[in-house]
């Protein structure tokens, strides 16, 4: 579902080509230390700070899906040669809100699936086939399954807020290892 990690990568920018722009963000193709990073989403203020030949540390959220064609990078912050950290703090609010908004359909879907799956588990646990017991118990179980799935999503949002407060604490990754996550078709 959500396979990504928050990492930092350091290197010298050799190439920076914009492939598209959209509402204050830039999608770019970057070459850092000879390694290609395609489909990199950069907030406008971070893009304006980047220059060819500059040594930077990029703090990003990198997907790691099996299908390398779908992988993307979202740069959250950068530190240039002057040592100043430039961060897109708007993601610190937008991403958790998106996670919380997506929690609502996840809770509803979990409840619906729970209504169909829970009777089998209730029967296995209790052995009861009585509809007067099975039907209300099924709805109670499905309700709590939905609540638990919503709480998991809230946990994801809180985890993102916690991690985005300290991007310098993110684990480093080599540029060659990061480049391997993307398809050869983009290189």
């Amino acid at each position: 579902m959500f396979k990504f990690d928050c990492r930092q990568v350091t290197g010298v920018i050799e190439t920076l080509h914009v492939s598209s722009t959209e509402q204050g963000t830039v999608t770019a193709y970057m070459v850092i230390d000879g390694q290609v990073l395609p489909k990199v989403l950069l907030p406008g203020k971070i893009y304006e700070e980047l220059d060819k030949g500059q040594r930077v540390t990029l703090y990003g959220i990198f997907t790691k899906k099996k299908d390398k064609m779908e992988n993307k990078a979202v740069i959250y912050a950068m530190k240039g040669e002057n040592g100043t950290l430039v961060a897109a703090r708007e993601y610190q609010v937008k991403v958790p809100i998106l996670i919380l908004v997506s929690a609502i359909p996840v809770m509803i879907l979990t409840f619906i699936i729970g209504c169909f799956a829970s009777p089998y588990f209730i029967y296995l646990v209790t052995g009861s086939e009585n509809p007067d017991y099975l039907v209300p118990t099924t709805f109670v179980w499905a309700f709590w399954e939905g609540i638990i799935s919503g709480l998991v999503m809230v946990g994801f949002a809180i985890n993102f807020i916690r991690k985005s407060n300290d991007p310098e604490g993110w684990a480093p990754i080599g540029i060659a290892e990061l480049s391997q996550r993307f398809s050869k078709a983009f290189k």
Side-chain angles (χ1 to χ4, degrees), residues 58-85:
L58 300 174
Y59 302 91
I61 302 159
F62 304 100
T63 59
K64 54 180 184 179
K65 299 178 182 178
K66 287 184 181 179
D67 184 0
K68 291 183 177 187
M69 297 290 281
E70 294 180 13
N71 283 333
K72 294 178 183 152
V74 178
I75 302 304
Y76 173 71
M78 68 153 283
K79 186 187 288 185
E81 292 172 338
N82 62 2
T84 305
L85 184 71

